[in-house]
Amino acid sequence: QVQLVESGGGSVQAGGSLRLSCAVSGVTISRACMGWIRQGPQKESEGVAMIDSVGRQRYADSVKGRFTISKDNAKNTLYLQMNSLKPEDTAMYYCAADVFDWTCTVLKADRREYQYWGQGTQVTVSS
């Protein structure tokens, strides 16, 4: 059974930082493309970042220089370090896994473009 469980969300003031984690079971993240996707209130889903099987990363323009995606293969856990947070970063953040495309060819905009995703963790940034 595949499970992705996000944690680390919360409320923070603009300029603050949060670190999201995604504990994965049933999928070996070193043999998958892993991503973070977010959906804000009354907004379309947006692909935030991806990391491929060998650690190469892709980011949305809106978060470049502020967010960093990483993973710990030994712990089978995915991370998203978010710095300099802005109110527009407010969203539900989901982690997801693509076990067919290990190279993260395209930054996926929707968690349903992956095979597996978690329930999400809420991030709220106040001004």
Side-chain angles (χ1 to χ4, degrees):
Q1 184 180 359
V2 177
Q3 281 193 314
L4 290 81
V5 180
E6 302 94 337
S7 61
S11 297
V12 64
Q13 288 192 326
S17 298
L18 285 172
R19 189 194 195 204
L20 307 184
S21 298
C22 176
V24 182
S25 58
V27 168
T28 302
I29 67 171
S30 62
R31 295 198 291 269
C33 169
M34 302 299 299
W36 288 97
I37 307 94
R38 67 185 180 185
Q39 185 147 24
Q42 299 181 324
K43 291 185 179 179
E44 291 188 354
S45 178
E46 178 185 20
V48 175
M50 300 172 77
I51 186 167
D52 71 8
S53 59
V54 296
R56 290 173 298 208
Q57 303 152 35
R58 292 180 183 268
Y59 295 94
D61 288 342
S62 59
V63 306
K64 278 181 184 175
R66 300 189 298 122
F67 291 11
T68 302
I69 188 170
S70 63
K71 61 180 180 174
D72 185 329
N73 290 336
K75 295 182 178 179
N76 219 41
T77 300
L78 180 72
Y79 302 100
L80 185 68
Q81 178 66 44
M82 305 187 295
N83 299 328
S84 302
L85 282 161
K86 304 175 181 180
E88 50 265 42
D89 294 319
T90 294
M92 185 72 79
Y93 284 72
Y94 301 90
C95 71
D98 186 336
V99 299
F100 297 126
D101 176 19
W102 295 10
T103 61
C104 296
T105 306
V106 177
L107 185 61
K108 303 182 196 299
D110 194 305
R111 63 189 184 276
R112 291 167 292 187
E113 296 182 61
Y114 294 79
Q115 287 80 52
Y116 306 104
W117 58 86
Q119 293 298 307
T121 186
Q122 177 67 37
V123 171
T124 302
V125 185
S126 58
S127 57

